[in-house]
Amino acid sequence: SIYVNVMKGYTEGGGSTPGVVSQPKLILEKYSVGTDKIYAGEEFEVFFTLKNTSSVEAVQNIQISIADTADTGKLLPAENGSNTIYIAKIDKGESYDVTYKMQSAADIEPKAYKLGLTLAYEGAKNIVAYTASDTISVTVFQKIRLKFDAPVFYDQFFVGASGGVYLAMYNMGRSSVYNCMVSVEGEGLQMEET
C-alpha cells in the first residue's frame, strides 16, 4: 500500500468546489400614489418600482402579494382585482415598474395605513426560492359632510329688530371638523355676529 497526500487541487465534498452563493436581492426602490389625496370609498392607484440589486443573476417567477398590514379589510384591490401580481423576470441590475389599483372602504377611519408587500421569487441561475417583504404607506381622508336642520324661529321678526334662530348642524363624516363658521344670506337678513 502506498499513501499519497494531495496538496494541490484537493477539494472537499467529492470534487465539488464549496463556495458562497450570492443571494439576488429584490427590493422596493420607490413608490408613489396616483392622486394628492385619497378619499374613503374611492379607487386609487399605487405605483412602485422593484429593483434586482444583483449584478450577477436575474430573478424570475416573481409573485407579489399586497395586503393591508392591519388586516382591517378596509383597503382592498379595486373591483374585479386581485391582491397578487406576477412578473416573469427582472434581469440583473434592472428595475420593473408596477401599477396597482386599490379601493378604500367608505367607512374607513382617516389616517395613514401600511400596505405590506410580500415578494416570492427565484434566482435564474441556481433556481433557489427567496422571499422578501416591504411596506408602502397610504394616507386616507374622509370627505367632510355637514347637514343642517331646518331653522327654528323663536321670536317674531320686525324690521331693524333682532330675533333668535335655532339651527342644528351635524357632522355626518368620520373626520373631525374644526374652526367652523356659520353665516346667513338672505334679502334683508343679517347676523349680528358670525
Side-chain angles (χ1 to χ4, degrees):
S1 297
I2 299 174
Y3 297 94
V4 178
N5 287 331
V6 179
M7 302 299 293
K8 186 174 181 182
Y10 171 75
T11 57
E12 290 181 310
S16 63
T17 304
V20 177
V21 177
S22 174
Q23 174 183 340
K25 298 277 195 284
L26 191 58
I27 63 166
L28 177 66
E29 187 174 34
K30 60 184 176 181
Y31 73 89
S32 64
V33 179
T35 181
D36 289 339
K37 286 191 173 182
I38 301 167
Y39 288 104
E42 295 181 353
E43 285 190 7
F44 60 95
E45 290 183 323
V46 178
F47 306 101
F48 58 92
T49 302
L50 298 176
K51 182 174 179 66
N52 177 6
T53 62
S54 175
S55 60
V56 295
E57 186 175 7
V59 292
Q60 64 186 16
N61 202 20
I62 305 154
Q63 177 182 319
I64 308 164
S65 298
I66 302 175
D68 176 9
T69 57
D71 198 23
T72 60
K74 301 293 184 179
L75 289 175
L76 301 167
E79 191 174 347
N80 299 322
S82 170
N83 68 335
T84 304
I85 300 169
Y86 176 79
I87 302 169
K89 186 177 183 179
I90 302 176
D91 285 327
K92 58 186 179 184
E94 295 293 318
S95 298
Y96 189 93
D97 296 325
V98 178
T99 301
Y100 185 67
K101 288 188 177 181
M102 298 200 73
Q103 183 169 2
S104 61
D107 62 344
I108 194 170
E109 186 181 342
K111 65 176 186 178
Y113 291 85
K114 286 188 178 178
L115 291 174
L117 299 182
T118 304
L119 312 171
Y121 59 98
E122 299 172 349
K125 286 183 179 178
N126 53 27
I127 317 298
V128 174
Y130 302 107
T131 59
S133 61
D134 217 320
T135 57
I136 291 175
S137 182
V138 174
T139 303
V140 180
F141 297 89
Q142 277 276 351
K143 287 186 177 177
I144 294 174
R145 295 184 297 129
L146 298 177
K147 180 180 179 288
F148 295 89
D149 275 349
V152 177
F153 298 92
Y154 288 117
D155 302 316
Q156 290 184 345
F157 287 83
F158 300 99
V159 175
S162 297
V165 178
Y166 172 78
L167 182 68
M169 179 175 66
Y170 304 96
N171 180 4
M172 305 299 287
R174 292 183 60 103
S175 293
S176 298
V177 178
Y178 301 97
N179 303 321
C180 187
M181 299 175 71
V182 177
S183 61
V184 172
E185 293 180 6
E187 189 176 343
L189 295 177
Q190 179 179 340
M191 292 180 69
E192 290 182 353
E193 59 184 29
T194 303

